[in-house]
């Protein structure tokens, strides 16, 4: 039996708060990697409130040029995650990667671009394929490219 969406959302928020606390209290030593992926801290204004929002996310791919890929899977939920909705409205975001905070421009990849990088995403974390099948929606992939001058 599946949990109601409100309980799933509460679980995601609790896990995020725990992970953020572990990173801060340990100076980034605990929780910097999980499930074989780098953990990044996304800072983006809320799309409605404009208030700062912080979310810890796993990045399956970080390119040599510093581009960070984020997968808006929400664990295979049928709904897009709130952080994704926020960055669609506010594509200039900050990410903390390996303890360093930088400014990035977020761009949702096209279907073709998503297909081109999907194998690398699944190589980093196999459950993404199951999330994709379960979600019943296209799972957006976001490329965050560092802004010059940082």
């Amino acid at each position: 039996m599946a949990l109601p969406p409100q309980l799933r959302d509460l679980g995601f928020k609790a896990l995020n708060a725990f992970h953020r606390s572990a990173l801060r209290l340990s100076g980034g030593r605990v929780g910097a990697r999980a499930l074989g992926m780098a953990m990044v801290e996304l800072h983006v204004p809320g799309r409605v409130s404009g208030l700062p929002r912080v979310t810890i996310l796993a990045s399956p791919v970080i390119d040599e040029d510093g581009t960070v890929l984020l997968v808006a899977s929400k664990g295979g939920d049928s709904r897009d995650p709130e952080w994704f909705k926020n960055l669609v409205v506010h594509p200039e975001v900050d990410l903390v990667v390996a303890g360093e905070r930088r400014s990035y421009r977020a761009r949702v990849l096209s279907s073709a671009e998503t297909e081109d990088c999907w194998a690398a995403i699944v190589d980093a974390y196999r459950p993404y394929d199951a999330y994709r099948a379960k979600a019943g929606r296209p799972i957006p992939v976001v490329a965050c490219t560092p802004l010059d001058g940082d």
Side-chain angles (χ1 to χ4, degrees):
M1 172 162 47
L3 291 174
Q6 299 86 348
L7 282 179
R8 284 195 310 264
D9 292 348
L10 192 58
F12 278 118
K13 286 180 184 180
L15 181 61
N16 204 281
F18 174 79
H19 200 149
R20 203 167 53 239
S21 296
L23 281 168
R24 287 214 174 93
L25 291 172
S26 71
R29 291 183 306 278
V30 174
R33 294 193 64 80
L35 308 170
M37 296 180 282
M39 302 307 286
V40 300
E41 189 175 277
L42 169 67
H43 294 257
V44 61
R47 67 189 176 285
V48 176
S49 69
L51 296 173
R53 302 291 183 219
V54 180
T55 306
I56 304 295
L57 300 167
S59 174
V61 178
I62 299 177
D63 288 342
E64 305 85 41
D65 68 357
T67 297
V68 177
L69 292 186
L70 303 174
V71 181
S73 66
K74 198 172 183 176
D77 197 285
S78 61
R79 301 164 296 148
D80 287 330
E82 297 301 312
W83 65 261
F84 173 74
K85 296 174 187 176
N86 290 337
L87 71 71
V88 166
V89 173
H90 300 287
E92 289 194 10
V93 301
D94 281 1
L95 292 177
V96 178
V97 180
E100 182 182 340
R101 184 171 176 159
R102 294 181 65 189
S103 295
Y104 291 77
R105 179 169 321 280
R107 180 179 69 83
V108 180
L109 298 183
S110 69
S111 297
E113 290 171 311
T114 295
E115 286 308 312
D116 287 345
C117 66
W118 192 254
I121 289 168
V122 172
D123 279 348
Y125 187 61
R126 296 224 178 272
Y128 279 129
D129 261 346
Y131 293 169
R132 189 186 231 186
K134 176 183 168 189
R137 64 176 169 92
I139 292 182
V141 176
V142 178
C144 297
T145 306
L147 292 175
D148 294 333
D150 282 9

